[in-house]
Amino acid sequence: MEYEISLLTIMGISIIGALSLNIIVGFCGQISLGHAAFLGVGAYTSAILTKLGLPFTVAVLAGMLLSGMLGVLVGLASLRVRHDFLAITTMGVAFLFLGIVRKQDVLGGEMGIAMIPDPGLGKVGYMALVLLLALALALFSVYLKRSWMGFTFDAVADDEDTANLVGINVSSYKLIAFAIGTTFAGLAGALYAHHVKFIDPESFGFVESITILSMVVIGGAGSVWGVTIAAAMLSIFPMWFQFIDQYKLLVYGGLLCAIMLFSPDGLSGIFTRTLMYVHERKGI
């Protein structure tokens, strides 16, 4: 039973991480190859503060705030670069984060931080909290996508120059997307730290960033339910099938290639086309 509880907790954390990146990549059309660094900021902040005696809730909120602030700084950089150059910039942020963490003894260095305090909710209570937060973020994402801000994000993602011409402050909305997305990434990182109770630099490396991006692309960038399902699948499968975990990058790479070749809009596109086909067949 403990294994299933841990599995569901990891699944919920993965969904939060993927949905947070979906706001940046799927909603606003900005590429990010260093998203795990923002999870790392939330994780390290919350871990250190709780070890200093601060309450769990305060530490998590502080981790989200600090991660969001870093996201705004990265968002400022995104105002000057686009596409491939933005991808390189966000990748650089990830490597910079790892370099800082590895060299600072107060952050645990290469050894990481162990014995992170338990929130005191029990395994079932903590799982329920994580799943509830994942559901809340999914509902918030749906609301955001259908709001005027979501429509504005769509305009920026489709064509920044045209959006500027019609009076949209593209710079502001890029910053908002990065701020929202990275704040929730900090939440995912903090929840992860208090679940596993040990973090080190490798927990938030480049591979983890690509894993989160894979969840978004495979699910269908911009689709809330598609990304949610993909995050759940890709977080659970390696635990159910150990051989997948050993060849995780190979499997993810193969899935990404297949999605790009046969369904660039991900699982959500496959589902939509299937429904249309069924509807057309019924109409015959």
Side-chain angles (χ1 to χ4, degrees), residues 95 114 194 251 257:
F95 291 139
H194 290 282
V251 173
C257 289

Side-chain angles (χ1 to χ4, degrees), residues 53 94 97 111 125 135 154 174 232:
F97 167 78
M111 301 301 293
L135 175 61
D154 285 341
K174 281 185 178 182

Side-chain angles (χ1 to χ4, degrees), residues 14 20 69 71 82 93 143 165-166 187 190 211 220 224 239 244 267 269 273:
S14 298
S20 69
M69 291 171 61
R82 295 186 188 182
V93 171
Y143 170 78
L165 287 175
V166 299
L187 171 62
T211 299
V224 176
M239 297 185 184
I244 292 181
L267 294 177
R273 286 190 294 273

Side-chain angles (χ1 to χ4, degrees), residues 28-48:
C28 202
Q30 306 302 302
I31 189 66
S32 177
L33 296 181
H35 201 63
F38 301 106
L39 276 76
V41 171
Y44 272 89
T45 301
S46 184
I48 291 172

Side-chain angles (χ1 to χ4, degrees), residues 67 71 77 124 126:
S67 183
V124 176
Y126 195 72

Side-chain angles (χ1 to χ4, degrees), residues 34-147:
H35 201 63
F38 301 106
L39 276 76
V41 171
Y44 272 89
T45 301
S46 184
I48 291 172
L49 292 181
T50 49
K51 286 180 76 72
L52 291 175
L54 269 69
F56 167 73
T57 304
V58 174
V60 170
L61 290 175
M64 293 174 65
L65 178 62
L66 191 57
S67 183
M69 291 171 61
L70 178 60
V72 171
L73 293 178
V74 176
L76 289 172
S78 76
L79 304 182
R80 304 181 64 86
V81 293
R82 295 186 188 182
H83 310 307
D84 296 344
F85 295 102
L86 178 57
I88 294 172
T89 300
T90 54
M91 190 188 306
V93 171
F95 291 139
L96 179 63
F97 167 78
L98 292 177
I100 292 174
V101 170
R102 286 192 172 110
K103 296 298 182 182
Q104 298 299 319
D105 292 336
V106 69
L107 299 177
E110 292 283 0
M111 301 301 293
I113 300 176
M115 295 186 292
I116 298 173
D118 189 279
L121 301 174
K123 295 184 182 298
V124 176
Y126 195 72
M127 176 197 70
L129 172 64
V130 170
L131 293 178
L132 183 62
L133 290 173
L135 175 61
L137 179 54
L139 294 176
F140 171 77
S141 296
V142 171
Y143 170 78
L144 180 63
K145 186 177 178 63
R146 296 178 178 177
S147 68

